[in-house]
Amino acid sequence: MAGKGIAAEDRAQRHRRPADPWAELDALWGNTQASTTEPSIQSFAFYGRCSTEDQQDPATSRSWQLRNACRFVEPLGGQVVEEYFDIGQSRSVPWHRRPEAGSLLDTLKATSRRWTAVVVGEGTRCWFGNQFSLTAPRMAAYNVELWVPELGGPYQPRNPSHTMLMSLLGGISESERQHVQARVRASMDAQVISEGRHEGGRAPYGYIVVDGGPHPHPRKAADGLQLRILHIDEEAATIVRRIFADYLRGLGDQAIATGLNRDHIPCPSARHPEQNPHRRGDGWLGSTIRSILENPRYTRYAVFGRWTKTEVLLDPDDVSAGHTVRFRRAPPDRVVRSRLPGHPPIITVQEFTQVQLLRRAKTLAGRSKTERHGRRTRHAYSLQGLIRCAVCDRKMASSTTGPHHYYRCVPRSPTKPATHLHSISVREDSVLRAVNTWLAELGIFIATASSTECPRVTTVATRDCGDMTKPYRDLDLIVIYDYRTAILDISVRSSRADTRLHSSAQL
């Protein structure tokens, strides 16, 4: 019996697992396998976005995106404790330039923030192009996890599949936006060409927008929506006819504007201030006359696409800063015209054509005169378009008298303030000296071709003039000159997009 017991004990020792020689060292270094436990409750910040391009109610968009995010994290032990939602922001705008997204990024640094992770409702709605590669590392630097529904969990920077998928989502988001823009534009072009339909926006001066019967779209018609069409505003149309007649009689743009101001005729922004909140409404300008004379819609034919939104880099040297929208004239092949009349006429096609031929002849005559005199250059002004008059808040025009450059305000409007002199001027070198001195105190040094110690007399090609102003435009410089106190109010954009730095200088 004893022999059998010894044999059984030997067999047990042979089958017993040998002791791990690394166990004690692993315990010392903490290389122990984590035990499986229930997921702990994690606090999340929710981020979402909607824009006017989505054609969606912001409250509805916020609701479904937040619901998607909660359904995603709550089963895994997560809880949304703070919300960030941008309204009216295009997906092409980088995060740091969106108000709510920028606030979220700023909160990353705060030690008192209540959340440790960020969750979104839909990845393609929040990131565009390469934006994810610019925001994810910033969150990882502050130990904040980024949860994306398309990934099924938190983004893992070392997972090549996650990196590839998020890059793909950014490309899909960009492609989706471009496809939507192309489809909408093609549809609007077809409506203008075949129906002469008014595609929205401000009505040209001389017209008003009225209801034109049930909407052609059955669903919109069932909802009671009306088709909007252009109708003549007789009082303003009379002024439009006068403008065309005066131009054909030989008057120039500024002469026509002066005559309308002398007769106290309200300008377009004064007649319809609700359509022109960005205008002052204090008189006719030559540019207003030019825009009326060059608008073919007065001939009763619908014309669409003369101006187009163009996205240009905010800073060509910093692509991550994103793009900004500029309105520019579209190339001729992008402009469409209706085959049939779309609204009542104010002038005839023949009158409009005659005006355009006359304007073209004046332009060619001006070019030939310039070529004869050899005036291919003009003065460069470092602060052109950046100085405003404190009395009327208009931009001061640049000019040169003798060896000095000036900025002048000579208002032609009959409604100019009573305290405004006939002409207000300030020398450029004095303003530059004050501006550059203050910027140097901020640690900002502007390298320009000019010297602030002595006046300059320089002529450069027109294409080079932008180089003189660019350093100041990049700072978003604004200078307000008050001739009554000879004080300059100077401001630049600070590192935070929503604040500015101010200073005053005595000339």
Side-chain angles (χ1 to χ4, degrees), residues 51-203:
S51 71
T52 54
E53 300 171 351
D54 301 328
Q55 297 294 323
Q56 197 173 71
D57 174 41
T60 302
S61 181
R62 178 174 188 157
S63 176
W64 72 257
Q65 291 184 56
L66 178 60
R67 187 170 63 253
N68 279 0
C70 291
R71 287 178 177 176
F72 175 42
V73 299
E74 286 178 352
L76 302 175
Q79 181 180 1
V80 174
V81 298
E82 198 162 347
E83 301 176 17
Y84 298 86
F85 192 80
D86 277 311
I87 299 175
Q89 296 294 317
S90 172
R91 71 183 76 183
S92 64
V93 178
W95 273 48
H96 65 275
R97 286 173 49 204
R98 304 179 196 173
E100 291 295 317
S103 177
L104 186 150
L105 294 177
D106 290 340
T107 311
L108 290 174
K109 309 173 186 178
T111 57
S112 59
R113 56 179 164 84
R114 304 171 353 184
W115 40 269
T116 58
V118 175
V119 61
V120 300
E122 183 181 277
T124 56
R125 187 168 290 267
C126 299
W127 288 286
F128 177 90
N130 67 336
Q131 291 175 358
F132 184 84
S133 63
L134 300 175
T135 56
R138 187 168 178 178
M139 295 186 184
Y142 292 98
N143 297 320
V144 173
E145 290 185 344
L146 185 55
W147 290 56
V148 184
E150 288 85 347
L151 298 179
Y155 169 71
Q156 300 173 5
R158 299 196 176 204
N159 188 330
S161 299
H162 283 198
T163 304
M164 180 182 66
L165 181 57
M166 292 311 300
S167 298
L168 182 61
L169 284 176
I172 292 175
S173 178
E174 185 172 3
S175 175
E176 176 189 358
R177 179 171 178 265
Q178 292 174 350
H179 276 88
V180 169
Q181 290 176 336
R183 286 194 296 266
V184 170
R185 177 57 194 268
S187 175
M188 297 174 76
D189 287 351
Q191 291 172 354
V192 171
I193 293 173
S194 60
E195 306 173 25
R197 188 183 300 184
H198 172 59
E199 293 295 344
R202 288 178 294 162

Side-chain angles (χ1 to χ4, degrees), residues 207-242:
Y207 289 101
I208 57 175
V209 181
V210 298
D211 290 337
H215 199 282
H217 195 288
R219 191 178 200 179
K220 294 182 178 180
D223 293 337
L225 296 180
Q226 297 283 315
L227 181 66
R228 304 290 283 170
I229 62 174
L230 294 179
H231 184 71
I232 288 184
D233 179 359
E234 289 297 342
E235 185 176 350
T238 302
I239 305 303
V240 173
R241 296 187 186 100
R242 168 180 167 174

Side-chain angles (χ1 to χ4, degrees), residues 12-31:
Q13 288 181 355
R14 284 196 300 269
H15 289 86
R16 188 180 302 157
R17 292 185 62 184
D20 186 1
W22 291 91
E24 185 176 357
L25 190 58
D26 285 343
L28 179 64
W29 286 351
N31 294 337

